[in-house]
Amino acid sequence: MRSSRLIAAVLLPIMLAACTGQSDAAMPPAAATSLPPAGPGPGDGDPVPMPVGPDGGWKLAFSDEFDGDTLDATRWADRSSAEPDAGRGNPGNQQLEWNQAANCQVAGGELTMTAKREPVTSPAGGRHYDWTSCLITTRKSYTFQYAYIEERAILPAAPGFWPAFWTWQARGADQQIETDVYEYYSDNHTRLYSTQYSGARGRCDWRPSFDPSSGWHTYGAAIEPSGTTWYADGRQVCHTPATSSGETNIISNLAVYAKIPPAAGTTSAVKRVDYIRAWSRP
């Protein structure tokens, strides 16, 4: 989840364009109260969920439907080696937030990640942060090189936030291994960024035909030996022959973007997650 806007010029020669919805007009924020609930996950006896997008040959390997009343600590950790300040902060990557489990709330069949304007000081280095937020990673429970991973989410509307769904190298890796299913900068509702940072590298900056903050949408990436393919709501939006070069964990988070920070009157924002799932090839 490195800043896509900073590295776009470097990766532009290998960008593989596959875009939907060509309007450059900014989409108006949707009122949070108008957005529907996530709904329950599959119940006992229901069919095993399959990916929204790629067909055939996938076996469910990991899932969290967020149907309980607290974040499952056996599945998720709230710190990652991707955040060099005690696993919770990364100001060198244009992030303003300190991540903590208290900002990750599960209720009503969904996970709510909340970024809050509140002060905190890192106990490791004494660095001051003006925001707290939520990051979760499967480093406790699920590690993979190749898989199809998927998240159903509603992204924040107010400018200044940077949610993402991505992977990061597992413990013991001696190189950066990262796949960004999506990055979204909430000052621009008309563009999403999907990037494979591993191997030969590849990316696409694509224009969704929907406003990511106005309702539930499904984002996925098939990370396979032959390459990486990205999907939104079941539709392929990008492909690159670049692929993961080693073991990774899933990360989902809500960063606060230092380059275009929230307005002074903005005190919070949320990313809502219905589920996170992963499938492997048998």
Side-chain angles (χ1 to χ4, degrees), residues 132-151:
T132 61
S133 195
C134 169
L135 176 150
I136 58 173
T137 171
T138 64
R139 69 176 177 82
K140 287 184 173 183
S141 61
Y142 180 59
T143 300
F144 66 97
Q145 180 171 1
Y146 303 119
Y148 179 79
I149 64 174
E150 185 175 277
E151 177 184 82

Side-chain angles (χ1 to χ4, degrees), residues 23-46:
S23 173
D24 282 314
M27 296 182 181
T33 55
S34 68
L35 300 179
D44 293 341
D46 290 341

Side-chain angles (χ1 to χ4, degrees), residues 82-96:
E83 311 294 296
D85 189 354
R88 301 188 184 278
N90 192 1
N93 193 43
Q94 300 190 345
Q95 295 172 229
L96 296 176

